[in-house]
Amino acid sequence: MMNDGIPESVAAMLGAVGTRVRSLRKERGFTLDRLSELSGLSTGIISQVERGLANPSFSTLVQLAHGLGIPVGMLFQVQKEHRSPLVRRSERRRLGGHGVDDDAVFELLVPDLNGALEVTWVETRPGHDTSATPFRHNGEEVGIVLSGHKDVYLDGVKYELGPGDAIRYPSTIPHWYANSSDEVCTAIWVITPPTW
């Protein structure tokens, strides 16, 4: 145990989270003052978190993640040393959540979500439709249809994409997707910052 009663394993985790916060802040070119403005936290608290001297509440971590424009889970992802940049088809990580159901398959095409880009392989079956739960978040997206057809709705405006078609849009616009064709649609989607 440390002097303040925190077990060493917890202290190590807090140190890793602090290092991650500092790294993400610097990647974005933010000063402590700027992250303070974006997160609503004081520079003193942010500095203590970055140095591993604070035991932040979950709400503090959520505010930090919001200020950095990332999902809160990214604060706990520590990149492994010597991780291969290559993702073999057989080693893709299957993603869940975000309203994913049996009509869709999402697989990660990058080794992890520690970088600035989330790249996913997306397969949607005929009838797939996310209009009941439109997406809206920080960032930007690019989608490229490889086969089949996908309808992309941006704030209610429908864009029909076929093989070889691509679309780019700010993720802050309410958006949803549908496969109204009679064949599986295969696409690649790129999102920054990562949202899973």
Side-chain angles (χ1 to χ4, degrees):
M1 293 248 191
M2 299 178 65
N3 292 341
D4 54 4
I6 297 176
E8 288 183 28
S9 60
V10 173
M13 183 188 70
L14 293 173
V17 168
T19 299
R20 184 94 173 110
V21 169
R22 183 184 302 112
S23 174
L24 290 165
R25 176 176 64 79
K26 289 186 175 183
E27 278 177 21
R28 285 155 177 73
F30 293 166
T31 62
L32 282 172
D33 287 334
R34 180 64 179 144
L35 184 53
S36 174
E37 291 171 18
L38 294 170
S39 66
L41 297 169
S42 72
T43 56
I45 291 203
I46 296 169
S47 176
Q48 285 188 341
V49 169
E50 287 189 355
R51 291 181 289 145
L53 302 176
N55 187 358
S57 67
F58 183 72
S59 64
T60 297
L61 294 174
V62 168
Q63 285 178 267
L64 276 171
H66 177 75
L68 292 165
I70 60 167
V72 71
M74 275 189 71
L75 295 177
F76 300 97
Q77 295 173 350
V78 179
Q79 191 167 1
K80 294 179 183 175
E81 291 184 32
H82 308 297
R83 184 167 203 156
S84 173
L86 177 65
V87 177
R88 300 267 182 214
R89 181 177 184 162
S90 62
E91 297 172 350
R92 291 180 193 160
R93 188 172 115 202
R94 193 120 180 213
L95 299 171
H98 291 293
V100 173
D101 53 29
D102 293 337
D103 292 336
V105 171
F106 290 81
E107 294 177 335
L108 196 58
L109 294 177
V110 290
D112 52 47
L113 296 171
N114 291 332
L117 298 175
E118 170 188 308
V119 184
T120 54
W121 178 271
V122 183
E123 293 179 11
T124 53
R125 294 184 183 152
H128 177 77
D129 187 332
T130 65
S131 61
T133 55
F135 304 101
R136 188 174 186 178
H137 49 88
N138 289 330
E140 185 174 46
E141 302 185 29
V142 172
I144 305 145
V145 172
L146 303 177
S147 65
H149 293 83
K150 182 182 285 285
D151 298 331
V152 177
Y153 292 84
L154 303 179
D155 206 14
V157 178
K158 179 180 176 181
Y159 296 88
E160 298 177 25
L161 282 73
D165 292 343
I167 189 167
R168 181 185 76 174
Y169 50 91
S171 305
T172 52
I173 297 172
H175 52 284
W176 61 93
Y177 314 97
N179 181 350
S180 56
S181 73
D182 57 0
E183 61 183 310
V184 171
C185 175
T186 302
I188 292 177
W189 234 256
V190 181
I191 302 171
T192 185
T195 59
W196 286 91

